[in-house]
Amino acid sequence: MRPDVSSPPPSTELEGHLRLRRRNYLLCAVGVLLSGVTHPLMLGSVIPEVLVTHFAWSLSLVVMGVVVGARWMRAYAASSFAAVLALVGLLVDIRFSGGVHSPFFPGLYAVPLIIAVFTPGLRLPTLVACVLTLLSVLLTCWWSGAPAQVALSQACSFAFVAWISVYGGRTYRRLRDAEREADRERVEALQRLTESERLRAQSERNRAEMERLAVVGKLAAGVAHEVNNPLAYVKSNLGFLQEELREAAPDVEELRRVLDETQQGVLRIQQIVTDLRRFSRDTTVEAEESCTVEEAMGEAQRLASVRLRSLGEVVAEVAPALPRVRVSQRHLVQVLVNLLLNAADALETAAPQRPARIVLRARAMPEGVRLDVEDNGPGIPEAVLPRLFEPFFTTKPPGKGTGLGLALCREYLARAGGTLAAENVPEGGARFILRLPGLSARSAA
């Protein structure tokens, strides 16, 4: 499953903007305070008005940072106030330190840039700052008695700085909007991917369930006959017991023998119903991730016997002391039942007809267990072998197969680290080879 990645919530994004603005206010306050303290180095003397102005200006910026951080003032109003405060402070400095020749005069050019930093997502404060600063530049030129040519030169120089401020703010907004759009598209793509994965998993479950029910359908026709045989036997024995009990001195040993046989018939019926119910049960969580091959083979034989009994014999050749395998018993039983029923279908169509013989052969290997399902049927056509495990590929007539059985069998084993292959037996017939991974010592513990 994939990780849940989403865009930051609005509250988190707002907190980030507030911290950024508060930090900017505090940094500007430090810069204003330093410029006020060091102004004698620039002017050659201490000007009290300049010193007082810078201290008041710096204190005002600190207060603005606190106000913005506490959300007591809207960002737009705070930025507008900061712009006015910067212009007033600079104009006071310039007024008392030489007018247009003051070393503070170039600071007017920085006002729109400062406002653009304070309000990176807003356009109007930067435009207002540009207009007010241009008026301040012209007012300073008028105070200083500068000629019109100097005033025009200063206005043109400032227009370039103002353009950079406006363009920079616009570029930032575009980048921010593009980033937000990219985040939104990324989240939507992940959501679509998650939904697609969910639908794919649901489709896989539906496909497996359809194949399992198809196998149950194949078995259903023989279940009635398989249950009817022991049921008739039980009924006959009960009739015999009823007649014997009417005798004055019934043979107790004979009654006990008939009762034991009747009990065996009932247990046979119970076993058939239990196996079929467990096989057809829909469950997505396995109760166990390993099983013994002998138990799985026995259950598969009992389930498939309702179909195979009339065709011939099923022989199990199991080597002693086989290790447990890392496959769930339900899946291994389903694989074996599919293979046994496929063998029955092949034997029914064999020409000439012959007594069926299906061999289940299991032996240990270094990596686990090899289990062969071999029959004496007509074998698999060479043209079919390469496509035998393709989903929805089947050589059976319409209505006789889904084309999913062998594909699912291979998939079940592959999930557990096993393999399923098919080949023809030289003497005639087909052989399916299951390689089942064994449990490691650590897993078994």
Side-chain angles (χ1 to χ4, degrees):
M1 184 82 44
R2 309 247 177 210
D4 181 18
V5 180
S6 59
S7 60
S11 59
T12 304
E13 188 175 357
L14 177 60
E15 289 294 337
H17 284 302
L18 290 176
R19 285 196 298 269
L20 177 62
R21 293 193 180 102
R22 183 170 61 245
R23 184 183 63 184
N24 289 340
Y25 277 112
L26 296 179
L27 289 176
C28 287
V30 172
V32 169
L33 182 61
L34 290 176
S35 64
V37 172
T38 59
H39 82 275
L41 298 177
M42 296 183 291
L43 302 176
S45 62
V46 177
I47 300 177
E49 292 85 351
V50 172
L51 189 61
V52 171
T53 298
H54 277 255
F55 271 102
W57 187 0
S58 176
L59 181 61
S60 299
L61 289 174
V62 172
V63 172
M64 289 299 300
V66 174
V67 169
V68 170
R71 303 184 191 179
W72 293 341
M73 182 183 296
R74 295 179 61 182
Y76 177 81
S79 301
S80 301
F81 182 79
V84 174
L85 184 65
L87 285 174
V88 171
L90 282 173
L91 285 176
V92 172
D93 285 346
I94 294 168
R95 184 73 175 84
F96 290 100
S97 59
V100 74
H101 302 290
S102 169
F104 294 109
F105 181 72
L108 285 174
Y109 288 75
V111 172
L113 294 174
I114 294 174
I115 299 304
V117 171
F118 282 159
T119 59
L122 301 175
R123 178 186 304 172
L124 186 59
T126 303
L127 294 176
V128 172
C130 290
V131 173
L132 293 179
T133 306
L134 178 60
L135 295 177
S136 300
V137 170
L138 296 177
L139 180 61
T140 301
C141 292
W142 177 70
W143 278 347
S144 305
Q149 184 178 1
V150 173
L152 181 61
S153 175
Q154 294 290 348
C156 291
S157 299
F158 174 75
F160 176 72
V161 175
W163 177 80
I164 292 178
S165 302
V166 174
Y167 182 78
R170 179 187 176 189
T171 302
Y172 171 83
R173 286 190 298 273
R174 286 184 172 179
L175 291 175
R176 181 199 60 187
D177 294 342
E179 182 179 1
R180 288 179 177 176
E181 180 65 18
D183 286 341
R184 185 187 63 80
E185 292 179 354
R186 179 167 59 95
V187 171
E188 290 180 354
L190 288 174
Q191 290 174 345
R192 290 194 298 269
L193 181 61
T194 301
E195 179 65 14
S196 175
E197 184 67 18
R198 185 189 67 80
L199 293 176
R200 187 196 65 80
Q202 182 64 38
S203 175
E204 290 292 327
R205 288 193 295 270
N206 292 341
R207 188 180 64 161
E209 177 64 11
M210 182 175 66
E211 177 59 24
R212 185 167 60 251
L213 293 178
V215 173
V216 172
K218 292 180 181 179
L219 298 174
V223 167
H225 176 74
E226 186 69 12
V227 171
N228 191 58
N229 284 343
L231 188 61
Y233 186 69
V234 169
K235 182 179 178 181
S236 174
N237 282 356
L238 290 176
F240 174 78
L241 290 173
Q242 187 177 21
E243 292 294 331
E244 285 294 314
L245 289 174
R246 291 175 181 173
E247 299 292 334
D251 187 348
V252 177
E253 291 300 324
E254 180 68 14
L255 293 179
R256 185 178 290 111
R257 183 186 63 79
V258 173
L259 187 60
D260 289 341
E261 292 177 353
T262 303
Q263 187 176 16
Q264 291 299 320
V266 172
L267 291 177
R268 172 60 181 162
I269 295 173
Q270 183 183 22
Q271 185 66 61
I272 294 170
V273 173
T274 300
D275 289 344
L276 191 61
R277 182 174 59 185
R278 182 167 56 214
F279 182 78
S280 61
R281 185 176 58 222
D282 180 19
T283 177
T284 56
V285 180
E286 296 298 331
E288 54 185 4
E289 296 180 352
S290 66
C291 69
T292 60
V293 175
E294 297 94 328
E295 292 180 1
M297 289 173 60
E299 184 176 341
Q301 282 183 265
R302 290 195 299 270
L303 283 166
S305 65
V306 300
R307 177 77 187 281
L308 297 172
R309 189 179 299 278
S310 61
L311 295 176
E313 62 176 344
V314 178
V315 179
E317 300 176 0
V318 183
L322 290 179
R324 292 180 67 87
V325 294
R326 197 172 61 247
V327 182
S328 69
Q329 180 161 328
R330 186 173 69 88
H331 281 161
L332 182 53
V333 169
Q334 183 169 346
V335 170
L336 293 176
V337 169
N338 269 283
L339 296 179
L340 290 173
L341 294 183
N342 284 348
D345 292 340
L347 289 164
E348 281 185 339
T349 60
Q353 288 291 324
R354 69 200 73 173
R357 178 179 171 82
I358 301 175
V359 180
L360 294 173
R361 185 180 298 110
R363 64 178 185 272
M365 297 188 304
E367 64 274 16
V369 174
R370 169 171 169 162
L371 200 163
D372 294 349
V373 180
E374 183 179 315
D375 64 66
N376 62 340
I380 304 170
E382 292 298 328
V384 172
L385 270 175
R387 303 188 59 191
L388 192 61
F389 296 99
E390 291 182 9
F392 302 105
F393 174 77
T394 179
T395 58
K396 298 177 182 179
K400 296 295 184 180
T402 63
L404 290 173
L406 291 177
L408 283 174
C409 289
R410 172 176 277 188
E411 183 178 329
Y412 289 151
L413 298 183
R415 288 177 185 173
T419 61
L420 174 61
E423 64 183 13
N424 285 314
V425 180
E427 298 81 12
R431 177 188 296 130
F432 287 85
I433 304 169
L434 292 74
R435 288 184 171 85
L436 310 174
L439 287 180
S440 62
R442 180 180 177 182
S443 300

